[in-house]
Amino acid sequence: MKKERRRIIIDFEVLSKGGFWMCCMKDFKSEKEHTIINDREEFLRVFNKNKDSIWVGYNIRGYDQWIMKAIIAGLNPCEISDKIIEHNISPWKIERSLHRIPLYIFEINESYRSLKELELFMGEDIRESNVSFDLDRYPSKEEIDELTSYCLHDVRMTYKVFEQVYYKYEAQLGLIEYFNLDESMFNKTEAQLSAYILGAKKPNYERDDAKEFEIIDSIILSKYNNIKQWYEDYNNRDFKNYLKVNVYGVDTDFGWGGLHSARKKFKAENFIVNSDVSSFYPSIMIEYNLLSRNVSKVSKFKEIRDTRLDFKKEKNPIEKSLKLVLNSTYGACLDVNNELYDQRQGIAICVNGQLLLLDLIEKVELFFGDKAEFIQGNTDGVMFKFNSSEDVDKYLEICKEWSNRTKMELEHDFIKKIIQKDVNNYIFIKEDGSVKSKGAYVKSLSLIDNDLPIVNKAIKEKLINNVDMEITINNCDDLIAFQKCVKITGKYSHAVNGREKINLKVLRVFASMSSADYAIMKMKSDGNVEKISYTPDRTFIDNENIINKKIPDKLDKTWYINLAKDRLESFEPEDGYTLFDYFKMI
């Protein structure tokens, strides 16, 4: 194993018009912090001492690394920042010489959320600096102090987020070590790294054969052969049309994404099996020669898949690293900027994936008919309800025959109980007693995904343990549990609360009983205002740190109870069945 490099969290604040820059750093291991203000010599001293470190940041790939490199190269970081932000010039186009400066970076911004949104979820202070970044003069001492406080806060928050996503860092490090790559590969995205490992290179001409994909021969359909024929019809290959068909009693969408099918507001108990295809898309690529045609090391992809499956059984942590390559390769096939880009292969993988699962569904329907129920189908799996253990055994035989014919391997979960709103929202108990939930209303929340946690908890406690939602909500006095996290998109100029104009892009709002409080609104560019969706009619706002803060007397718990009931109604079957009923019967 290579010597562990230091990981340093870094963030820059630049006032382009004021000719001012500063950066704050925090060592991930020692937690020591350091601030540098408009001092290139000090920055070079620190950088040269730590040039082999991995610099970690939020949007470091798109911004901070270029400010770092500009300072190192002796360029004006304010001018570079101005071109990136004000003139919207891609950083790598600004100054080619910056590419030659070696820098190890790790980007933790892999989502559509800003750092402020994650701070919002974590219950942290989300107020912005009062110092305008359009300031056209050098800032005063008081303004510098405020900017320093703001920058340090962002570094500390980035540190906290890095702790939450550290597994991604470990996975990428494991990949670099496993393939003995230079650690400059940290600079790559997962998809770029996958392309590099597989030796992918786009051709110097543009392919125009996306519609020329083929249906694989091992798919055998009879009752639902019309769906296969729909895909074979070139008139449907405009990638806009889609087909809705009733498959085994369930309305199912077929198009250019994964399989999407589920019974609505459904409950079931006993003899339920969820079957997922192991490494589904990677397996399709391997078994049917549908890997990107740009790949030079075709056999290596199969080696990675097979090794990853072995490591998974052995609980070897490197399996998570190898999974990065497998999972990113399909998406990279449809990314025009990636060396793996091959639209025909990407579409073929998706279409054949849907038809392979349809093949399995059809075989189950033809054998069982109305003696089994198709519960749901998704991108890489299907779920059925049977009437006896003997039926389950027969189903597993059908699966084995399907697997042998299609060369796909299935993994089975045996489920005791399920309540399902739709394909994207469900909760079930496995035979081992563990609970799995999916969907906005009942998903497992985390420190960096934490909207209306008390409503989430109340619904799950009701469904699983039959605890009245009023009890769950009324027994809670932690303010963070009641936070409604709001984002003001670019379509709107600002938020409005009563007569108060709020320029923050993210807000933390709470339901209020006070007649002095108002709804939270958002202002359009044309001057019209709209109420922000799914927020109370009366709200109060608290954008300061609310960790360990208790609820005020004016918090309106009734609003949260009613919201929980509304969501439960959309989730529960008509008879009000809960998973708690199962425990009463055993």
Side-chain angles (χ1 to χ4, degrees):
M1 181 177 290
K2 297 178 181 178
K3 181 181 177 181
E4 184 180 42
R5 296 180 185 269
R6 291 183 72 181
R7 289 136 295 168
I8 301 175
I9 317 297
I10 190 167
D11 183 55
F12 281 86
E13 304 298 343
V14 181
L15 306 184
S16 300
K17 297 176 183 177
F20 172 88
W21 66 267
M22 68 172 297
C23 75
C24 293
M25 309 174 189
K26 185 180 179 80
D27 186 281
F28 185 69
K29 189 172 183 179
S30 71
E31 299 189 35
K32 290 182 179 179
E33 297 175 344
H34 188 59
T35 299
I36 300 173
I37 299 174
N38 253 28
D39 189 340
R40 180 172 180 262
E41 289 187 9
E42 172 62 8
F43 183 84
L44 290 177
R45 183 193 70 79
V46 174
F47 175 75
N48 288 329
K49 185 179 178 181
N50 298 282
K51 63 170 55 178
D52 291 332
S53 298
I54 295 173
W55 303 88
V56 180
Y58 208 90
N59 196 30
I60 192 172
R61 184 179 290 121
Y63 182 74
D64 297 89
Q65 69 157 322
W66 302 103
I67 304 303
M68 285 183 72
K69 290 181 175 182
I71 295 169
I72 295 166
L75 301 177
N76 186 337
C78 296
E79 292 180 1
I80 299 297
S81 178
D82 184 65
K83 290 177 181 178
I84 295 173
I85 295 176
E86 298 300 328
H87 299 280
N88 201 29
I89 300 175
S90 297
W92 59 272
K93 292 181 179 179
I94 294 173
E95 177 54 59
R96 302 286 182 176
S97 65
L98 298 182
H99 291 272
R100 296 193 290 271
I101 297 175
L103 200 64
Y104 302 125
I105 65 170
F106 184 75
E107 174 65 74
I108 61 174
N109 177 19
E110 295 292 347
S111 73
Y112 56 89
R113 289 173 172 150
S114 67
L115 179 60
K116 281 296 174 194
E117 286 180 86
L118 303 187
E119 294 173 20
L120 176 70
F121 286 133
M122 293 189 291
E124 298 283 355
D125 192 325
I126 57 170
R127 292 172 296 176
E128 298 280 3
S129 168
N130 290 318
V131 181
S132 171
F133 286 92
D134 289 327
L135 193 68
D136 59 1
R137 57 171 173 77
Y138 198 85
S140 66
K141 181 183 182 303
E142 291 75 18
E143 289 168 332
I144 291 173
D145 288 344
E146 183 173 343
L147 287 168
T148 302
S149 177
Y150 180 78
C151 189
L152 270 173
H153 175 76
D154 276 359
V155 163
R156 290 164 184 163
M157 294 303 99
T158 303
Y159 180 97
K160 199 170 179 179
V161 173
F162 188 42
E163 287 182 309
Q164 295 296 308
V165 299
Y166 192 73
Y167 66 92
K168 293 183 179 181
Y169 172 86
E170 289 182 310
Q172 191 150 331
L173 176 63
L175 203 59
I176 288 167
E177 291 183 344
Y178 183 81
F179 289 102
N180 197 30
L181 305 176
D182 187 270
E183 285 181 342
S184 63
M185 291 292 106
F186 263 119
N187 300 11
K188 305 290 186 183
T189 65
E190 293 175 3
Q192 289 171 338
L193 193 55
S194 299
Y196 182 86
I197 290 169
L198 296 172
K201 187 70 177 176
K202 283 194 291 188
N204 55 10
Y205 59 90
E206 185 175 341
R207 294 189 179 107
D208 187 26
D209 60 355
K211 297 182 179 181
E212 304 300 319
F213 64 88
E214 296 182 357
I215 307 300
I216 57 182
D217 293 337
S218 63
I219 295 171
I220 301 174
L221 294 167
S222 55
K223 179 176 181 178
Y224 298 115
N225 193 53
N226 62 306
I227 299 173
K228 176 183 174 183
Q229 291 172 338
W230 185 86
Y231 279 111
E232 291 172 332
D233 185 347
Y234 273 68
N235 292 322
N236 296 320
R237 293 188 177 188
D238 60 359
F239 311 127
K240 295 178 182 178
N241 290 334
Y242 72 95
L243 182 67
K244 184 180 286 290
V245 182
N246 187 285
V247 173
Y248 204 176
V250 182
D251 287 340
T252 304
D253 293 329
F254 291 91
W256 311 103
L259 186 68
H260 191 90
S261 178
R263 294 183 183 274
K264 304 293 193 300
K265 301 181 80 166
F266 175 81
K267 71 173 184 179
E269 60 182 78
N270 298 326
F271 312 121
I272 303 164
V273 186
N274 184 70
S275 304
D276 288 332
V277 186
S278 304
S279 294
F280 192 23
Y281 281 6
S283 296
I284 292 174
M285 295 181 204
I286 292 165
E287 300 298 342
Y288 298 104
N289 194 29
L290 289 177
L291 186 62
S292 168
R293 289 168 287 178
N294 305 341
V295 171
S296 63
K297 303 173 183 177
V298 177
S299 61
K300 178 166 279 192
F301 190 73
K302 183 177 186 302
E303 174 193 331
I304 292 170
R305 192 276 309 264
D306 294 345
T307 304
R308 185 251 165 177
L309 291 176
D310 289 339
F311 282 178
K312 186 177 181 181
K313 293 174 183 176
E314 298 167 6
K315 300 189 183 304
N316 187 321
I318 297 299
E319 75 91 3
K320 292 186 175 68
S321 300
L322 300 181
K323 189 177 179 180
L324 289 181
V325 179
L326 300 175
N327 285 0
S328 60
T329 301
Y330 164 71
C333 283
L334 299 173
D335 179 1
V336 69
N337 296 311
N338 193 282
E339 296 292 347
L340 285 163
Y341 179 64
D342 189 342
Q343 191 180 15
R344 189 194 76 177
Q345 302 296 76
I347 292 169
I349 293 162
C350 179
V351 169
N352 282 292
Q354 292 177 83
L355 293 177
L356 281 165
L357 292 176
L358 177 64
D359 184 318
L360 176 57
I361 295 166
E362 181 186 86
K363 302 304 175 288
V364 174
E365 180 180 5
L366 291 177
F367 183 85
F368 287 101
D370 60 5
K371 295 181 179 179
E373 285 184 285
F374 174 43
I375 298 176
Q376 67 160 263
N378 52 53
T379 304
D380 60 359
V382 291
M383 186 187 296
F384 296 95
K385 164 76 173 70
F386 301 98
N387 293 326
S388 67
S389 58
E390 290 77 17
D391 286 350
V392 171
D393 290 340
K394 180 58 186 177
Y395 166 69
L396 296 178
E397 289 180 18
I398 293 172
C399 288
K400 186 175 181 180
E401 293 170 0
W402 179 86
S403 293
N404 290 336
R405 172 166 53 85
T406 63
K407 304 176 185 177
M408 299 291 112
E409 182 179 335
L410 288 165
E411 297 176 341
H412 306 288
D413 281 328
F414 300 96
I415 298 167
K416 290 179 178 178
K417 290 286 177 179
I418 181 171
I419 297 179
Q420 177 172 281
K421 176 179 179 287
D422 52 48
V423 71
N424 293 316
N425 294 273
Y426 56 81
I427 184 167
F428 62 70
I429 299 176
K430 297 182 184 180
E431 287 192 351
D432 62 7
S434 62
V435 176
K436 180 178 179 181
S437 59
K438 178 184 178 182
Y441 294 173
V442 293
K443 65 183 177 181
S444 296
L445 299 180
S446 72
L447 196 62
I448 55 176
D449 185 9
N450 199 30
D451 184 42
L452 289 170
I454 192 63
V455 176
N456 175 287
K457 181 180 180 181
I459 294 172
K460 288 200 286 189
E461 282 294 306
K462 177 62 178 177
L463 289 173
I464 299 170
N465 300 314
N466 200 32
V467 176
D468 287 343
M469 292 187 292
E470 290 90 343
I471 292 176
T472 301
I473 292 173
N474 285 327
N475 284 348
C476 181
D477 63 357
D478 293 321
L479 186 59
I480 193 171
F482 294 88
Q483 66 179 3
K484 172 60 186 169
C485 300
V486 171
K487 179 179 180 180
I488 309 300
T489 64
K491 183 180 177 182
Y492 303 89
S493 60
H494 60 273
V496 179
N497 188 228
R499 295 181 179 179
E500 182 185 4
K501 176 182 177 181
I502 305 172
N503 288 318
L504 300 178
K505 289 299 182 183
V506 293
L507 303 167
R508 184 184 293 120
V509 303
F510 301 88
S512 174
M513 293 188 293
S514 173
S515 59
D517 288 328
Y518 300 88
I520 183 73
M521 314 291 284
K522 50 190 177 181
M523 179 73 73
K524 278 187 168 183
S525 57
D526 60 9
N528 291 321
V529 294
E530 296 177 5
K531 183 174 179 288
I532 296 178
S533 301
Y534 308 112
T535 57
D537 290 336
R538 296 188 182 277
T539 65
F540 65 91
I541 298 170
D542 192 339
N543 289 328
E544 298 180 17
N545 186 313
I546 63 167
I547 298 170
N548 298 323
K549 187 179 285 191
K550 298 304 179 182
I551 61 173
D553 291 338
K554 67 177 180 178
L555 182 83
D556 184 7
K557 288 188 174 182
T558 303
W559 183 84
Y560 298 91
I561 291 170
N562 290 336
L563 178 61
K565 288 180 176 179
D566 287 344
R567 290 187 172 185
L568 184 67
E569 185 178 350
S570 71
F571 205 97
E572 260 190 333
E574 296 301 327
D575 60 4
Y577 169 89
T578 73
L579 292 181
F580 177 76
D581 296 323
Y582 166 74
F583 293 109
K584 292 192 294 185
M585 293 183 286
I586 61 172

